[in-house]
Amino acid sequence: MMVSFLLAGALAVADTVYPAPNAQAVAAPGARLTLVAKQFKFTEGPAVDHAGNVFFTDQPNDKIWKYSTDGQLTVFLSPSGRANGLDFDAKGNLLACADAQNQLWSISPAGKVTVLADGFERHHFNGPNDLWVNPKGGGIYFTDPYYQRDYWARTAPDLTAQNVYYLAPGAPAPVLAADQLRQPNGLVGTPDGRQLFVADIEANKTYRYQIGPGGRLSNRQLFVAQGSDGMALDSKGNLYLTGQGVTVYSAQGQKIAHIDVPGAWTGNVCFAGKDLKTLFITASEAVYTLPLRVKGLR
């Protein structure tokens, strides 16, 4: 069922702002962190469409929200399969890690759901968490950590490992892309389709892989000794990691900024607006924006 309505009072222009003193390397001059809304349970998975609108999830409340470029906040899909991480494909379909039934979904602009994958080698996924669509070819990478959910009947994983998988365009099933990880979570790739960053949140590390023919990953290298829930790349090659606020690393792995975010946990980020120069931040029960001096990537 698709629902769309304007949430009264939840507009982008809010009177609650916070300083961003340690973010000068990426924030616009004089920029302040602005609270958009704070009535959720746990926000996650922001993704931006080609118009600059942001879609994000409130997984405990089983909803996908839309934050439009004109400041309107509406429900796009409810129920949402307990969607977590999101991304858009080249056709404008919203892809979702829907862990109510441990599936990977494609959601049309009209809200029609197609299940792309629901397991690996006759085993149920642990719980697809985050995903990235390679712009060079359209293949999908997604992480599959195990986090016990209170809405599951099961109390143990069906798979013995927590891995990263790859679903090639038109393929009937995903293949193993990366293993030897304790609990992979956030991931994002470069716009040239040649590199993939994967955070192992339990090991508190973020790795960089080379993407080869057929989507194969190789040459794993430690990028930074910090894990992450979600992540994003800007046009300068800076990597944004989340958890205790947002930490920004240069393309060479040097820490260049930290954005303090109110609340216990910052789940994820993406770049919003028509010019992709607004950082959209999901932080537990709230979402925030921060104007940037750098342009982001979709």
Side-chain angles (χ1 to χ4, degrees):
M1 178 181 179
M2 181 180 175
V3 182
S4 182
F5 60 90
L6 178 63
L7 182 67
L11 299 181
V13 180
D15 59 4
T16 305
V17 296
Y18 304 86
N22 302 312
Q24 293 93 336
V26 294
R32 295 291 184 267
L33 188 72
T34 300
L35 174 67
V36 174
K38 190 177 182 179
Q39 77 277 334
F40 313 102
K41 192 168 183 181
F42 191 82
T43 56
E44 252 287 8
V48 64
D49 67 12
H50 286 287
N53 305 300
V54 176
F55 292 71
F56 66 96
T57 63
D58 184 359
Q59 189 178 42
N61 288 321
D62 204 10
K63 299 181 188 299
I64 296 176
W65 290 82
K66 178 183 177 181
Y67 176 66
S68 68
T69 56
D70 60 0
Q72 295 185 359
L73 192 62
T74 58
V75 173
F76 170 69
L77 190 68
S78 180
S80 67
R82 302 283 185 172
N84 193 336
L86 305 173
D87 200 3
F88 280 92
D89 67 16
K91 297 180 179 179
N93 298 307
L94 183 62
L95 306 184
C97 292
D99 79 6
Q101 300 295 326
N102 305 296
Q103 297 170 329
L104 188 66
W105 281 10
S106 174
I107 308 167
S108 75
K112 180 182 178 181
V113 172
T114 301
V115 177
L116 301 178
D118 61 2
F120 177 69
E121 294 183 345
R122 290 181 285 187
H123 293 278
H124 297 295
F125 289 129
N126 293 314
N129 186 280
D130 201 3
L131 76 160
W132 174 72
V133 180
N134 191 332
K136 304 299 182 181
I140 304 167
Y141 291 91
F142 61 99
T143 56
D144 187 44
Y146 188 83
Y147 295 101
Q148 182 64 47
R149 307 299 191 189
D150 58 11
Y151 45 82
W152 287 345
R154 62 174 174 149
T155 57
D158 192 31
L159 288 161
T160 58
Q162 302 180 57
N163 299 318
V164 179
Y165 297 97
Y166 174 71
L167 182 64
V175 297
L176 179 65
D179 57 5
Q180 304 301 311
L181 296 160
R182 288 164 60 180
Q183 196 169 47
N185 199 310
L187 81 172
V188 70
T190 54
D192 61 7
R194 295 181 178 179
Q195 297 182 341
L196 182 72
F197 294 89
V198 177
D200 188 338
I201 195 167
E202 186 174 310
N204 200 30
K205 292 177 170 61
T206 295
Y207 298 101
R208 179 170 52 196
Y209 296 82
Q210 300 300 314
I211 300 175
R216 183 176 59 86
L217 298 180
S218 64
N219 192 29
R220 183 175 94 166
Q221 296 179 327
L222 179 65
F223 182 69
V224 293
Q226 180 180 332
S228 187
D229 193 341
M231 60 176 71
L233 279 169
D234 69 22
S235 59
K236 301 285 188 181
N238 301 315
L239 184 68
Y240 296 62
L241 303 183
T242 64
Q244 300 301 320
V246 182
T247 307
V248 187
Y249 291 89
S250 71
Q252 293 73 40
Q254 300 298 314
K255 181 179 175 180
I256 61 171
H258 183 83
I259 302 165
D260 295 323
V261 180
W265 189 253
T266 301
N268 216 323
V269 291
C270 77
F271 303 98
K274 297 177 182 178
D275 60 0
L276 300 180
K277 293 185 74 173
T278 298
L279 189 66
F280 186 90
I281 304 168
T282 59
S284 299
E285 73 278 5
V287 291
Y288 299 87
T289 58
L290 179 69
L292 298 177
R293 67 170 71 241
V294 296
K295 184 177 181 179
L297 300 174
R298 296 190 191 280

